Amino acid sequence: MDGRVLPPEVIKHKDGKTYNYKPAEAEWSREMRGADLRSTVPLDSWMLLSTSRDSGIAQDFLQTLQRVCGPMGIKVAKPMMCELRDDKTETYLRTMQEKMTDSVRMVTCILPTNRKDRYDAIKKFCCVSRPVSSQVIVARTLSKKQMLMSVCTKIGIQLNCKLGGEVWAVDIPLKNLMVIGIDCYHDSVSKGKSISGFVASTNQTLTKYYSRCTSQHTGQELVDGIKVCVTGALRKYNEINKTLPDRIIVFRDGVGDGQLAAVFEHEVKQFMECFRTVGFQERPKFAFIVVKKRINSRFFLKNGRLQNPPPGSVVDQHVTRKEWYDFFLVSQSVRQGTVTPTHYNVIHDTTGLKPDHMQRLTYKLTHLYYNWPGTIRVPAPCQYAHKLAYLVGTSIHDEPDISLADRLYYL
């Protein structure tokens, strides 16, 4: 059967600097070296906590972070260094409680081991009790001297995202577009509770997001608290762009085939109702796409021998269902084994976009996940929604403070 390969994207950085990547690898860590990040937020008021045993590691980390962040355009000021006498959870929490002022924008904790209860307590404190962006690092990650530069570069990029900066962008020809990602995760503590992450873009390049989460009872995989999230996201979009979006496209992950009708009946209608209450002059153009990663379909490129199709491969005929508007997209590259395509099923669409444009936009969005300099399996808003739902479902078990909603604090 025939498929198509979408063209590779041009990656954009600051001041018009652009570069291409090797299409077969779909990854640009090499090209990115030494490039200024697209927009940076200075790390000017922050805390660095470590035990007295790890104080040498903390000093090395700080010096290396300052050295690698300069070329990326991130200004790193001297932090408030807090040396703890032991590694008890209460010691970390008490120190943050006592030393943290309202001007602190980032808390970085270096932990001797990756004990889950301590990590969870720190995250809960920083997301719920005293809302501030936080970074937790295990000392072992920083102990290898030869790896320190590359580890600090990744941490520097992550700190920038958590403060509301952008790393790179791709060309998005559609103007006034809002893209939303939704994913669910079952809470690891409360049986019968399911967390939904909701992430909506707030700018024209789809690189800044408004993130909320809601919880509902399992079995009710369908998101009920969606209205609050959508209303909040549209108000935020309006505040930033001085207009409401013309088109809204939702990528909904975590839905089985058996739930398609229920999602259509329940969630699509909730969105429609939200548009009525928010104050659109006329109803926006709207699409709802169900994203499925767990599928059995595999595609091969016949080129003398069978091999994986290249990133950007689209199949939208023969193996798709006649009664659906759906397509398969291979967006990621794998080093080993067979690549798994992702299935996209457009269950509602009034955007007026041709199928080719919808596929191109989906592929562009797989380039915008800032934890990995390459393409990923799903559109970035879905992956961000998954990260948020996972953090809340495994560590926080409570709704994060609304003041953190405008940055990617959960990366």
Side-chain angles (χ1 to χ4, degrees), residues 96-132:
M96 289 193 285
Q97 186 85 52
E98 289 167 4
K99 301 279 178 74
M100 197 188 294
T101 60
D102 290 341
S103 64
V104 170
R105 301 173 68 183
M106 171 65 71
V107 175
T108 305
C109 298
I110 297 175
L111 307 184
T113 58
N114 56 358
R115 250 180 51 205
K116 184 176 179 332
D117 60 329
R118 182 169 49 203
Y119 174 84
D120 292 356
I122 291 170
K123 283 295 178 187
K124 185 159 189 170
F125 179 84
C126 293
C127 291
V128 182
S129 316
R130 286 289 298 274
V132 64

mmCIF file of all heavy atoms in Angstrom, residues 96-132:
data_model
loop_
_atom_site.group_PDB
_atom_site.id
_atom_site.type_symbol
_atom_site.label_atom_id
_atom_site.label_comp_id
_atom_site.label_asym_id
_atom_site.label_seq_id
_atom_site.Cartn_x
_atom_site.Cartn_y
_atom_site.Cartn_z
ATOM 1 N N MET A 96 12.895 24.769 53.860
ATOM 2 C CA MET A 96 12.168 25.543 52.821
ATOM 3 C C MET A 96 11.155 26.479 53.470
ATOM 4 O O MET A 96 11.043 27.638 53.086
ATOM 5 C CB MET A 96 11.473 24.583 51.843
ATOM 6 C CG MET A 96 12.436 23.836 50.933
ATOM 7 S SD MET A 96 11.635 22.998 49.552
ATOM 8 C CE MET A 96 10.886 21.608 50.337
ATOM 9 N N GLN A 97 10.442 25.959 54.443
ATOM 10 C CA GLN A 97 9.423 26.763 55.129
ATOM 11 C C GLN A 97 10.049 28.000 55.771
ATOM 12 O O GLN A 97 9.521 29.115 55.650
ATOM 13 C CB GLN A 97 8.769 25.887 56.220
ATOM 14 C CG GLN A 97 7.601 26.536 56.921
ATOM 15 C CD GLN A 97 6.305 26.344 56.153
ATOM 16 O OE1 GLN A 97 5.964 25.238 55.803
ATOM 17 N NE2 GLN A 97 5.607 27.428 55.871
ATOM 18 N N GLU A 98 11.200 27.812 56.429
ATOM 19 C CA GLU A 98 11.825 28.917 57.170
ATOM 20 C C GLU A 98 12.544 29.901 56.251
ATOM 21 O O GLU A 98 12.491 31.115 56.453
ATOM 22 C CB GLU A 98 12.816 28.354 58.205
ATOM 23 C CG GLU A 98 12.125 27.666 59.377
ATOM 24 C CD GLU A 98 13.100 26.840 60.220
ATOM 25 O OE1 GLU A 98 14.325 26.869 59.918
ATOM 26 O OE2 GLU A 98 12.647 26.157 61.165
ATOM 27 N N LYS A 99 13.257 29.383 55.246
ATOM 28 C CA LYS A 99 14.136 30.259 54.456
ATOM 29 C C LYS A 99 13.468 30.862 53.219
ATOM 30 O O LYS A 99 13.946 31.844 52.665
ATOM 31 C CB LYS A 99 15.373 29.467 53.983
ATOM 32 C CG LYS A 99 16.220 28.863 55.108
ATOM 33 C CD LYS A 99 17.164 29.912 55.706
ATOM 34 C CE LYS A 99 17.983 29.370 56.851
ATOM 35 N NZ LYS A 99 19.065 28.480 56.453
ATOM 36 N N MET A 100 12.382 30.251 52.759
ATOM 37 C CA MET A 100 11.800 30.707 51.497
ATOM 38 C C MET A 100 11.083 32.045 51.665
ATOM 39 O O MET A 100 10.257 32.208 52.562
ATOM 40 C CB MET A 100 10.812 29.670 50.969
ATOM 41 C CG MET A 100 10.478 29.876 49.488
ATOM 42 S SD MET A 100 9.153 28.791 48.927
ATOM 43 C CE MET A 100 9.890 27.195 49.053
ATOM 44 N N THR A 101 11.435 32.991 50.791
ATOM 45 C CA THR A 101 10.744 34.291 50.810
ATOM 46 C C THR A 101 9.829 34.352 49.591
ATOM 47 O O THR A 101 9.896 33.500 48.706
ATOM 48 C CB THR A 101 11.759 35.444 50.736
ATOM 49 O OG1 THR A 101 12.498 35.296 49.511
ATOM 50 C CG2 THR A 101 12.717 35.419 51.907
ATOM 51 N N ASP A 102 8.994 35.385 49.518
ATOM 52 C CA ASP A 102 8.058 35.502 48.386
ATOM 53 C C ASP A 102 8.775 35.728 47.058
ATOM 54 O O ASP A 102 8.214 35.478 45.993
ATOM 55 C CB ASP A 102 7.072 36.660 48.636
ATOM 56 C CG ASP A 102 6.094 36.311 49.749
ATOM 57 O OD1 ASP A 102 5.969 35.097 50.036
ATOM 58 O OD2 ASP A 102 5.472 37.214 50.326
ATOM 59 N N SER A 103 10.031 36.222 47.123
ATOM 60 C CA SER A 103 10.726 36.518 45.858
ATOM 61 C C SER A 103 11.366 35.273 45.238
ATOM 62 O O SER A 103 11.775 35.283 44.087
ATOM 63 C CB SER A 103 11.812 37.576 46.101
ATOM 64 O OG SER A 103 12.796 37.036 46.973
ATOM 65 N N VAL A 104 11.449 34.166 45.999
ATOM 66 C CA VAL A 104 12.089 32.943 45.468
ATOM 67 C C VAL A 104 11.232 32.366 44.340
ATOM 68 O O VAL A 104 10.034 32.158 44.505
ATOM 69 C CB VAL A 104 12.284 31.896 46.593
ATOM 70 C CG1 VAL A 104 12.704 30.550 46.022
ATOM 71 C CG2 VAL A 104 13.332 32.387 47.582
ATOM 72 N N ARG A 105 11.896 32.101 43.177
ATOM 73 C CA ARG A 105 11.139 31.604 42.021
ATOM 74 C C ARG A 105 11.456 30.157 41.687
ATOM 75 O O ARG A 105 10.797 29.549 40.848
ATOM 76 C CB ARG A 105 11.464 32.469 40.803
ATOM 77 C CG ARG A 105 11.132 33.925 41.031
ATOM 78 C CD ARG A 105 11.608 34.798 39.910
ATOM 79 N NE ARG A 105 10.874 34.542 38.686
ATOM 80 C CZ ARG A 105 11.156 35.144 37.536
ATOM 81 N NH1 ARG A 105 12.145 35.987 37.464
ATOM 82 N NH2 ARG A 105 10.456 34.888 36.449
ATOM 83 N N MET A 106 12.497 29.616 42.299
ATOM 84 C CA MET A 106 12.886 28.236 42.001
ATOM 85 C C MET A 106 13.562 27.622 43.219
ATOM 86 O O MET A 106 14.384 28.275 43.864
ATOM 87 C CB MET A 106 13.849 28.228 40.796
ATOM 88 C CG MET A 106 14.512 26.907 40.501
ATOM 89 S SD MET A 106 13.376 25.612 39.986
ATOM 90 C CE MET A 106 12.905 26.166 38.371
ATOM 91 N N VAL A 107 13.205 26.388 43.537
ATOM 92 C CA VAL A 107 13.859 25.651 44.621
ATOM 93 C C VAL A 107 14.503 24.417 44.002
ATOM 94 O O VAL A 107 13.831 23.645 43.311
ATOM 95 C CB VAL A 107 12.833 25.207 45.689
ATOM 96 C CG1 VAL A 107 13.493 24.335 46.736
ATOM 97 C CG2 VAL A 107 12.192 26.416 46.337
ATOM 98 N N THR A 108 15.808 24.247 44.201
ATOM 99 C CA THR A 108 16.509 23.065 43.693
ATOM 100 C C THR A 108 17.011 22.260 44.873
ATOM 101 O O THR A 108 17.716 22.797 45.735
ATOM 102 C CB THR A 108 17.692 23.487 42.789
ATOM 103 O OG1 THR A 108 17.182 24.341 41.757
ATOM 104 C CG2 THR A 108 18.352 22.294 42.141
ATOM 105 N N CYS A 109 16.627 20.989 44.933
ATOM 106 C CA CYS A 109 17.044 20.122 46.047
ATOM 107 C C CYS A 109 17.931 19.004 45.509
ATOM 108 O O CYS A 109 17.544 18.315 44.563
ATOM 109 C CB CYS A 109 15.834 19.485 46.723
ATOM 110 S SG CYS A 109 14.711 20.674 47.464
ATOM 111 N N ILE A 110 19.104 18.842 46.130
ATOM 112 C CA ILE A 110 19.973 17.709 45.790
ATOM 113 C C ILE A 110 19.777 16.658 46.884
ATOM 114 O O ILE A 110 20.015 16.936 48.062
ATOM 115 C CB ILE A 110 21.445 18.156 45.692
ATOM 116 C CG1 ILE A 110 21.587 19.165 44.545
ATOM 117 C CG2 ILE A 110 22.357 16.949 45.472
ATOM 118 C CD1 ILE A 110 22.965 19.777 44.410
ATOM 119 N N LEU A 111 19.282 15.480 46.489
ATOM 120 C CA LEU A 111 18.968 14.432 47.468
ATOM 121 C C LEU A 111 20.006 13.307 47.404
ATOM 122 O O LEU A 111 20.475 12.962 46.321
ATOM 123 C CB LEU A 111 17.586 13.826 47.171
ATOM 124 C CG LEU A 111 16.397 14.788 47.034
ATOM 125 C CD1 LEU A 111 15.109 14.005 46.830
ATOM 126 C CD2 LEU A 111 16.255 15.671 48.252
ATOM 127 N N PRO A 112 20.350 12.716 48.561
ATOM 128 C CA PRO A 112 21.355 11.647 48.539
ATOM 129 C C PRO A 112 20.860 10.361 47.869
ATOM 130 O O PRO A 112 21.628 9.637 47.265
ATOM 131 C CB PRO A 112 21.673 11.415 50.019
ATOM 132 C CG PRO A 112 20.602 12.082 50.783
ATOM 133 C CD PRO A 112 19.946 13.098 49.920
ATOM 134 N N THR A 113 19.531 10.078 47.970
ATOM 135 C CA THR A 113 18.985 8.871 47.329
ATOM 136 C C THR A 113 17.642 9.224 46.710
ATOM 137 O O THR A 113 17.084 10.281 46.989
ATOM 138 C CB THR A 113 18.722 7.757 48.377
ATOM 139 O OG1 THR A 113 17.817 8.275 49.357
ATOM 140 C CG2 THR A 113 19.992 7.293 49.053
ATOM 141 N N ASN A 114 17.125 8.298 45.883
ATOM 142 C CA ASN A 114 15.842 8.622 45.248
ATOM 143 C C ASN A 114 14.660 8.019 46.010
ATOM 144 O O ASN A 114 13.816 7.346 45.436
ATOM 145 C CB ASN A 114 15.835 8.157 43.781
ATOM 146 C CG ASN A 114 16.134 6.679 43.648
ATOM 147 O OD1 ASN A 114 16.392 6.009 44.648
ATOM 148 N ND2 ASN A 114 16.098 6.170 42.438
ATOM 149 N N ARG A 115 14.600 8.276 47.316
ATOM 150 C CA ARG A 115 13.480 7.789 48.130
ATOM 151 C C ARG A 115 12.188 8.483 47.723
ATOM 152 O O ARG A 115 12.110 9.709 47.714
ATOM 153 C CB ARG A 115 13.770 8.076 49.603
ATOM 154 C CG ARG A 115 14.048 6.831 50.417
ATOM 155 C CD ARG A 115 14.333 7.163 51.858
ATOM 156 N NE ARG A 115 13.322 8.038 52.452
ATOM 157 C CZ ARG A 115 13.571 8.829 53.490
ATOM 158 N NH1 ARG A 115 14.764 8.869 54.028
ATOM 159 N NH2 ARG A 115 12.610 9.578 53.986
ATOM 160 N N LYS A 116 11.164 7.676 47.402
ATOM 161 C CA LYS A 116 9.940 8.242 46.840
ATOM 162 C C LYS A 116 9.189 9.143 47.829
ATOM 163 O O LYS A 116 8.699 10.203 47.460
ATOM 164 C CB LYS A 116 9.030 7.105 46.362
ATOM 165 C CG LYS A 116 7.774 7.617 45.663
ATOM 166 C CD LYS A 116 6.930 6.513 45.120
ATOM 167 C CE LYS A 116 5.666 6.963 44.454
ATOM 168 N NZ LYS A 116 5.019 8.166 44.827
ATOM 169 N N ASP A 117 9.115 8.732 49.112
ATOM 170 C CA ASP A 117 8.327 9.519 50.068
ATOM 171 C C ASP A 117 8.903 10.924 50.240
ATOM 172 O O ASP A 117 8.160 11.904 50.381
ATOM 173 C CB ASP A 117 8.225 8.804 51.424
ATOM 174 C CG ASP A 117 9.599 8.564 52.041
ATOM 175 O OD1 ASP A 117 10.565 8.394 51.274
ATOM 176 O OD2 ASP A 117 9.717 8.544 53.286
ATOM 177 N N ARG A 118 10.229 11.038 50.176
ATOM 178 C CA ARG A 118 10.858 12.354 50.342
ATOM 179 C C ARG A 118 10.596 13.222 49.103
ATOM 180 O O ARG A 118 10.249 14.399 49.214
ATOM 181 C CB ARG A 118 12.363 12.174 50.567
ATOM 182 C CG ARG A 118 13.111 13.464 50.800
ATOM 183 C CD ARG A 118 14.524 13.195 51.271
ATOM 184 N NE ARG A 118 15.194 12.207 50.430
ATOM 185 C CZ ARG A 118 16.231 11.463 50.830
ATOM 186 N NH1 ARG A 118 16.694 11.582 52.053
ATOM 187 N NH2 ARG A 118 16.799 10.606 50.016
ATOM 188 N N TYR A 119 10.751 12.615 47.926
ATOM 189 C CA TYR A 119 10.474 13.328 46.667
ATOM 190 C C TYR A 119 9.024 13.825 46.662
ATOM 191 O O TYR A 119 8.745 14.987 46.353
ATOM 192 C CB TYR A 119 10.720 12.377 45.482
ATOM 193 C CG TYR A 119 10.331 12.954 44.139
ATOM 194 C CD1 TYR A 119 11.210 13.770 43.439
ATOM 195 C CD2 TYR A 119 9.085 12.688 43.566
ATOM 196 C CE1 TYR A 119 10.866 14.306 42.204
ATOM 197 C CE2 TYR A 119 8.729 13.220 42.343
ATOM 198 C CZ TYR A 119 9.614 14.027 41.665
ATOM 199 O OH TYR A 119 9.268 14.564 40.446
ATOM 200 N N ASP A 120 8.099 12.930 47.029
ATOM 201 C CA ASP A 120 6.672 13.291 47.019
ATOM 202 C C ASP A 120 6.386 14.455 47.962
ATOM 203 O O ASP A 120 5.643 15.376 47.621
ATOM 204 C CB ASP A 120 5.814 12.082 47.440
ATOM 205 C CG ASP A 120 5.855 10.960 46.402
ATOM 206 O OD1 ASP A 120 6.482 11.165 45.346
ATOM 207 O OD2 ASP A 120 5.276 9.891 46.650
ATOM 208 N N ALA A 121 7.003 14.413 49.152
ATOM 209 C CA ALA A 121 6.749 15.470 50.146
ATOM 210 C C ALA A 121 7.264 16.821 49.639
ATOM 211 O O ALA A 121 6.599 17.859 49.795
ATOM 212 C CB ALA A 121 7.423 15.106 51.463
ATOM 213 N N ILE A 122 8.451 16.816 49.004
ATOM 214 C CA ILE A 122 9.023 18.073 48.484
ATOM 215 C C ILE A 122 8.130 18.616 47.369
ATOM 216 O O ILE A 122 7.810 19.809 47.320
ATOM 217 C CB ILE A 122 10.472 17.839 47.978
ATOM 218 C CG1 ILE A 122 11.407 17.553 49.162
ATOM 219 C CG2 ILE A 122 10.979 19.046 47.178
ATOM 220 C CD1 ILE A 122 12.800 17.083 48.761
ATOM 221 N N LYS A 123 7.699 17.720 46.445
ATOM 222 C CA LYS A 123 6.847 18.158 45.327
ATOM 223 C C LYS A 123 5.510 18.691 45.837
ATOM 224 O O LYS A 123 4.997 19.693 45.346
ATOM 225 C CB LYS A 123 6.623 17.010 44.337
ATOM 226 C CG LYS A 123 7.828 16.744 43.428
ATOM 227 C CD LYS A 123 8.093 17.921 42.502
ATOM 228 C CE LYS A 123 9.286 17.730 41.614
ATOM 229 N NZ LYS A 123 9.656 18.907 40.836
ATOM 230 N N LYS A 124 4.947 18.013 46.827
ATOM 231 C CA LYS A 124 3.654 18.461 47.360
ATOM 232 C C LYS A 124 3.793 19.840 47.997
ATOM 233 O O LYS A 124 2.959 20.720 47.807
ATOM 234 C CB LYS A 124 3.118 17.446 48.381
ATOM 235 C CG LYS A 124 1.731 17.793 48.862
ATOM 236 C CD LYS A 124 0.978 16.618 49.454
ATOM 237 C CE LYS A 124 -0.472 17.019 49.697
ATOM 238 N NZ LYS A 124 -1.315 15.901 50.034
ATOM 239 N N PHE A 125 4.882 20.028 48.751
ATOM 240 C CA PHE A 125 5.129 21.321 49.394
ATOM 241 C C PHE A 125 5.250 22.418 48.330
ATOM 242 O O PHE A 125 4.674 23.503 48.463
ATOM 243 C CB PHE A 125 6.418 21.239 50.225
ATOM 244 C CG PHE A 125 6.766 22.527 50.915
ATOM 245 C CD1 PHE A 125 6.200 22.850 52.136
ATOM 246 C CD2 PHE A 125 7.659 23.432 50.343
ATOM 247 C CE1 PHE A 125 6.509 24.055 52.777
ATOM 248 C CE2 PHE A 125 7.977 24.631 50.970
ATOM 249 C CZ PHE A 125 7.396 24.942 52.192
ATOM 250 N N CYS A 126 5.999 22.132 47.240
ATOM 251 C CA CYS A 126 6.273 23.162 46.222
ATOM 252 C C CYS A 126 5.125 23.367 45.230
ATOM 253 O O CYS A 126 5.124 24.348 44.489
ATOM 254 C CB CYS A 126 7.545 22.809 45.443
ATOM 255 S SG CYS A 126 9.016 22.899 46.451
ATOM 256 N N CYS A 127 4.189 22.421 45.164
ATOM 257 C CA CYS A 127 3.068 22.589 44.219
ATOM 258 C C CYS A 127 1.781 23.014 44.907
ATOM 259 O O CYS A 127 0.908 23.604 44.275
ATOM 260 C CB CYS A 127 2.798 21.284 43.463
ATOM 261 S SG CYS A 127 4.101 20.843 42.311
ATOM 262 N N VAL A 128 1.656 22.687 46.201
ATOM 263 C CA VAL A 128 0.389 22.949 46.887
ATOM 264 C C VAL A 128 0.568 23.943 48.039
ATOM 265 O O VAL A 128 -0.069 24.999 48.067
ATOM 266 C CB VAL A 128 -0.231 21.627 47.413
ATOM 267 C CG1 VAL A 128 -1.568 21.901 48.077
ATOM 268 C CG2 VAL A 128 -0.401 20.629 46.272
ATOM 269 N N SER A 129 1.473 23.619 49.001
ATOM 270 C CA SER A 129 1.586 24.442 50.212
ATOM 271 C C SER A 129 2.178 25.820 49.921
ATOM 272 O O SER A 129 1.609 26.846 50.289
ATOM 273 C CB SER A 129 2.442 23.739 51.261
ATOM 274 O OG SER A 129 2.082 22.386 51.353
ATOM 275 N N ARG A 130 3.387 25.854 49.269
ATOM 276 C CA ARG A 130 4.035 27.129 48.935
ATOM 277 C C ARG A 130 4.360 27.104 47.440
ATOM 278 O O ARG A 130 5.442 26.675 47.062
ATOM 279 C CB ARG A 130 5.341 27.281 49.721
ATOM 280 C CG ARG A 130 5.202 27.599 51.184
ATOM 281 C CD ARG A 130 4.709 29.010 51.455
ATOM 282 N NE ARG A 130 5.587 30.056 50.968
ATOM 283 C CZ ARG A 130 6.611 30.551 51.642
ATOM 284 N NH1 ARG A 130 6.910 30.099 52.837
ATOM 285 N NH2 ARG A 130 7.337 31.522 51.126
ATOM 286 N N PRO A 131 3.415 27.478 46.567
ATOM 287 C CA PRO A 131 3.612 27.263 45.127
ATOM 288 C C PRO A 131 4.869 27.946 44.570
ATOM 289 O O PRO A 131 5.003 29.173 44.633
ATOM 290 C CB PRO A 131 2.350 27.835 44.495
ATOM 291 C CG PRO A 131 1.644 28.579 45.566
ATOM 292 C CD PRO A 131 2.133 28.103 46.876
ATOM 293 N N VAL A 132 5.797 27.134 44.080
ATOM 294 C CA VAL A 132 7.028 27.630 43.461
ATOM 295 C C VAL A 132 7.549 26.505 42.563
ATOM 296 O O VAL A 132 7.307 25.329 42.835
ATOM 297 C CB VAL A 132 8.066 28.006 44.562
ATOM 298 C CG1 VAL A 132 8.501 26.777 45.365
ATOM 299 C CG2 VAL A 132 9.285 28.682 43.976
#
